[in-house]
Amino acid sequence: MTQISYSKNALACFMASVIGLIVSLRIGKRFIPQIPYLVLIGLVILALLVTIVLITIRKRKGSLSPATTFAFWNAMLRYFIAMDMVMFGLQKIFHLQFAIPLGVLDNPFSSLDGEQLVWAFFGKYYAFTVIIASVQIISAVMLLFKRTSLLAVIVLLPILFNILLLDWFYNLGLVVNIYITLLTIAAVYLLLLDYGRLKEFFLTTGSLPANLENGLKKNALRLSAVFIPVILMAAYKFPATHPEIYGKYEVKSNPLQKQGAYGDSVLTKVFIDNADFVMEYGNYQKRWIGSYEYNNLSKQFKVTWRYPANLHDTLYATIQRGAGPGFKIVSGRMANKDIRIDIRKEN
């Protein structure tokens, strides 16, 4: 039997205790709100300390071997991760996650925060939500059995890593971000417990057909999987980019325009990306949308409108720096009328 060192046991105890504490607090806070949060923290910490003390006493009496203690803490870690994954899955199925108020869904895209963007995207189709939840629940149940625990971790780890990236990049909150990071680290820890089996499975040398056994041929074949996409991307004609004018702008003044495109509306925003030039009159439902050509040297551009369908006049203009930081001046002609618009770039 492999000897389990004190440091390995300490690490296993630490991982199980931290994840157990966080999972218990997360579940208790949401589903047992009658218990004050500070009391809940105290009860969970007390339960963990009592468990650690009891195991330490039994170990000193000789009734528990280091290997048994090590197995116990790893089993507890799997138990708490499985409980959390089942809870996450059930919350998705019963609309406690990925649920966005209908009123929010009608708001402009730019007004949604990171959590609302993520939940609106993943929660658009309930069947998709159920599939994600089912994978979480099934892999969680597999994690509880020794024979299937490795496969469960292999399935769970990409899910957890994907959640980790979403939480950090879309800023779902510091507490949430730290929690999913710790949960992912715990899954990696469980995976590394089976490092020997993984090494044997993934790093053993397989046999190839005789005509591919030559090292040069094998390496050339491997490298072709990388170089062919690189060559194709290098030959692809990408759309032109114009970072000097790219952005969302607020209209500060438009003195020559007496009346907007929609009755008495006035021009309020201008959007310039790599393909479209958009002029907004009051809100996102009142927009002119066109494709444009831009000359970096002369600062001249030409906008051909696609929407509204009855708008056939082409805008010819230049865009120059304005009086202050972020300010620009758009000046030109459209429909035999002079146009001058002072705009300021928004963050």
Side-chain angles (χ1 to χ4, degrees):
M1 182 179 293
T2 305
Q3 183 66 31
I4 303 298
S5 65
Y6 174 81
S7 60
K8 284 187 176 181
N9 254 318
L11 178 60
C13 174
F14 175 77
M15 296 295 296
S17 299
V18 170
I19 298 302
L21 174 65
I22 295 174
V23 171
S24 300
L25 291 177
R26 196 184 72 80
I27 293 176
K29 183 180 180 181
R30 178 153 195 167
F31 294 96
I32 318 177
Q34 297 83 359
I35 303 178
Y37 196 55
L38 290 178
V39 175
L40 184 64
I41 293 175
L43 291 174
V44 174
I45 293 177
L46 179 62
L48 289 172
L49 290 176
V50 169
T51 303
I52 294 172
V53 169
L54 290 176
I55 289 178
T56 303
I57 293 173
R58 291 189 62 185
K59 183 178 177 182
R60 288 182 177 178
K61 289 182 177 180
S63 57
L64 281 180
S65 65
T68 303
T69 307
F70 185 68
F72 170 80
W73 287 121
N74 288 328
M76 291 304 298
L77 177 59
R78 294 200 305 271
Y79 173 82
F80 282 116
I81 293 177
M83 179 189 292
D84 210 30
M85 289 297 102
V86 171
M87 188 58 67
F88 273 129
L90 292 177
Q91 287 179 51
K92 290 179 176 66
I93 292 173
F94 291 103
H95 304 285
L96 295 179
Q97 285 189 338
F98 298 168
I100 296 290
L102 291 178
V104 174
L105 291 176
D106 270 358
N107 291 345
F109 183 82
S110 60
S111 70
L112 303 183
D113 61 28
E115 182 177 5
Q116 291 170 337
L117 286 172
V118 172
W119 282 32
F121 173 78
F122 283 100
K124 181 174 176 60
Y125 297 103
Y126 181 65
F128 179 66
T129 301
V130 171
I131 291 172
I132 296 175
S134 300
V135 173
Q136 288 181 326
I137 294 172
I138 292 171
S139 56
V141 174
M142 292 168 58
L143 193 61
L144 297 172
F145 298 91
K146 188 172 181 58
R147 289 189 176 183
T148 56
S149 61
L150 177 58
L151 178 59
V153 175
I154 292 174
V155 173
L156 275 177
L157 194 55
I159 296 174
L160 291 173
F161 188 67
N162 181 57
I163 297 173
L164 182 147
L165 293 178
L166 287 171
D167 286 358
W168 278 101
F169 280 101
Y170 286 85
N171 192 22
L172 266 66
L174 183 61
V175 174
V176 173
N177 295 348
I178 292 176
Y179 167 65
I180 189 60
T181 301
L182 292 173
L183 202 63
T184 305
I185 292 173
V188 172
Y189 164 80
L190 289 177
L191 186 70
L192 293 178
L193 290 178
D194 288 294
Y195 175 76
R197 295 168 62 189
L198 293 169
K199 180 180 178 181
E200 181 181 357
F201 181 82
F202 288 105
L203 300 181
T204 51
T205 304
S207 59
L208 290 172
N211 61 337
L212 291 177
E213 283 294 340
N214 180 273
L216 181 61
K217 290 182 179 179
K218 285 195 294 185
N219 290 330
L221 183 61
R222 290 164 177 160
L223 291 174
S224 68
V226 177
F227 283 119
I228 289 176
V230 170
I231 292 171
L232 291 174
M233 291 297 290
Y236 185 78
K237 185 178 179 181
F238 288 91
T241 59
H242 309 291
E244 68 273 18
I245 63 172
Y246 185 99
K248 173 183 175 182
Y249 296 87
E250 178 187 5
V251 176
K252 305 306 293 183
S253 66
N254 185 17
L256 296 182
Q257 184 170 329
K258 302 293 185 181
Q259 189 177 23
Y262 297 91
D264 293 331
S265 300
V266 295
L267 183 64
T268 54
K269 293 187 184 297
V270 173
F271 303 85
I272 307 174
D273 59 25
N274 292 329
D276 289 342
F277 189 96
V278 179
M279 298 170 70
E280 179 176 293
Y281 294 84
N283 62 65
Y284 70 96
Q285 295 177 318
K286 300 177 180 180
R287 288 179 172 179
W288 289 0
I289 303 174
S291 304
Y292 75 95
E293 301 172 9
Y294 177 70
N295 187 309
N296 292 317
L297 297 177
S298 65
K299 310 299 180 183
Q300 295 178 331
F301 63 89
K302 169 187 172 183
V303 181
T304 305
W305 303 107
R306 305 193 309 270
Y307 179 86
N310 60 352
L311 184 62
H312 303 296
D313 298 314
T314 301
L315 170 63
Y316 296 92
T318 61
I319 184 165
Q320 303 287 346
R321 289 183 179 180
F327 280 84
K328 294 187 183 297
I329 300 172
V330 177
S331 57
R333 285 183 69 81
M334 188 176 75
N336 297 321
K337 294 181 179 180
D338 292 328
I339 291 177
R340 175 193 164 95
I341 309 170
D342 293 329
I343 57 178
R344 183 181 66 182
K345 190 171 185 179
E346 297 182 0
N347 293 327

